[in-house]
Structures are given as structure tokens and as C-alpha cells.
Amino acid sequence: MSKRPPLPPRGRGALSNPDNRYSQFSSEWIDDGWGSLEQLETKIPTTLHVDASRSVISYNQSPDIPFDRSINPYRGCEHGCVYCFARPTHAYLGLSPGLDFETQLFYKPDAATLLRKELSARNYTPAPIALGINTDAYQPAEKKLRITREILEVLAECQHPVTIVTKSSLIERDMDILEALAAKNLASIAVSITTLDAALARTLEPRAASPQRRMETIRRLTAAGIPVTTLIAPLIPVLTDHELENILTEIRSAGAVDAGYVLLRLPHELKELFRDWLAQHAPLKAEHVMNRLRDCRGGSDYQAEFGIRMRGRGIFADLIAQRFHKAFKRLEFPGSEPLRSDLFRRPNPTPQLDLF
């Protein structure tokens, strides 16, 4: 009996669909002797579901992140990054953080309408909205659904500041809006890069843009006058940490004005999923990766405390921090400017009434 299907799913990051931590029942693959396991289809389709949320802006008080509000147009992410810290949130939907997270996606078709309503509230005070934080706002479904673009159109109408984190070149579709916002210091983009090794990226983040394509996106956004930060995330001990200086050099050459990094985080079910991935794709490094990670996590696979969860602690974590700051200083990153909030104008909650 096994938690994993007999063959790795094609084009997906997770290798299994473990039960979520709230489930009352568990399931396992069992060979019944009739060869039924060998007949299973290993190419799993993506299914889209409507998310009927009644609000679109989420607020937080975390001291670890530089924003207090965010919008996630999608729940789940087809990019399939095996390391994604958001995977365990699929358990809230009664689904698995494994294959379900990247194949059972939820989208908010009325996100722009909800946003307009929330921004029009009399007690709303503007501050930068982070777009696509838990899951990428420019994952493949966005090409057809255009929910992120509709959100940007509302923000542009209101002259509201926005920041975006993405791995996708699809963001270039919306450069017309972003360029206009950036001209007033109302937009900043963070392109996430984990590795420059295309072969490694293909298994770590199978449906995201290639590292080289993301570099091109940085160049194109920069050329359009849109400030670009790069987030080296996650930085994985042994597997990718040796690329730190090279990534910083390449992104600076491409035009990035700022950079940051996040040490690999393995909350809840993600521990099992990532160890499974290591055993399949990097078996000779698997033990070394986890040992170094535990060196940064007080002997555990993960520590969730504020101030520790993003960077870790200990000798190895300190060494990474020193390397980052040295390279950052040597490459003379100018840094990011704070976005403006003083241009905000409250939207009409029912724009169709303007016709009368």
C-alpha cells in the first residue's frame, strides 16, 4: 500500500495527494491484483471552480511582510511549484495540498466588483495592495479569465498603489496599465526566481515560466519604466543556495532595482510533499538538503515563529544572510521607492449609474 500513485503524474510538481490535516478519513493506493493501477491515467487535467467569497481584500498584521493587505484572485495554483508555502491552505477547502492544489483551482469571477465596493467604503484608507501573494495572479487560467486585469483596471481608475509577485511572463500582457501606474509611482513588480537551472526548474516548478523567460520579463518591464524587484524564493539549502550570487548578478544586469530572499518553508503537509520530491528527483542530495534545513530551523523541518520563518537562524542561515548582503552591496542595487497613496480617489461603487 502506498500514498503515491504508481507512476509520477505528468507535468505536475507534487507526486502524491496526501490527506489534509483536517480529514477524518485517509486513502491509500492498493494493488488489487487486476492490473488496475497500471491503467491509471498519469496526465491529470485542471478543473476550475467558482470561489463565492464575499470579500476580496485580505488584511494581515504580520511583522514579516511589508504590506497589510492583499488580493488573491485564485486559490490553488497550476504552476505546481512543489515547495509552495500556500499548499496547506487547500486543506481549508477539504482538498489535498498535493495534486489537488495544482489541479483543483478556484477563481473569483466578481473580484473586480467586490474590490470596487470595498474601495468605495467611507472608512477605507489606501495603502499598497499586494496582488497574488498566496498563489500567482498570472497563472495559466488568467490568460482566459482575465480576473487580474480587471482588478488592475479598477486600481488604475482609483489611482491605488499595487505590488505584484509573479513567476509568469503573462504579466507583460498588462504592461499598458502597469506602465501608467508606475509613471505615478503607484506600481512595483516582484519577479520570483528560484534557480537559473532550467532542468531543475522544470521539476521544481513545472508550469511556471522558465528562468530565462523570467529574466526577459524583468528586462521588458524595466524598459517600460516599471520598477522590478526580484524575490529569490525559496532559497533551498544545498539544492539552490550556491546560485545566490549568480542570480543577484543576472537580475541586476537585467534591470532589477531591488532584491530579497526567503529560506525554504515547509509548513504542515508540505514537509511530506517536499521530502517525496527530493527522493524522486534528488535522491543523492535529499538527506543533505534536509539536514542543512534543520540546521536553520532549530533541528526541525520548519519553525513558524515571526522573525524566523522567512530567514531561519543559526550558522548556516547567518552565512546565507552575509553572502546576500555582500553581493547586494557589491552590485549596487538602488533599492525600491515607497509607493504613493495620496493620489487615491474613491470609485463609484455602481459605475453603470453614470449612464443616466
Side-chain angles (χ1 to χ4, degrees), residues 22 57 70 107 129 195 221 230 235 237 239 262 265 270 343:
Y22 304 120
I57 302 178
S70 60
Y107 66 98
I129 286 177
T195 177
L221 292 172
T230 299
L235 192 146
L239 203 62
V262 177
R265 299 168 56 190
L270 194 51
L343 300 178

Side-chain angles (χ1 to χ4, degrees), residues 173-204:
R173 179 200 64 188
D174 296 337
M175 282 174 57
D176 57 331
I177 300 177
L178 296 172
E179 186 175 355
L181 286 169
K184 298 179 180 180
N185 195 23
L186 291 171
S188 177
I189 309 302
V191 176
S192 176
I193 294 180
T194 309
T195 177
L196 297 177
D197 184 336
L200 177 59
R202 185 177 292 276
T203 58
L204 268 177

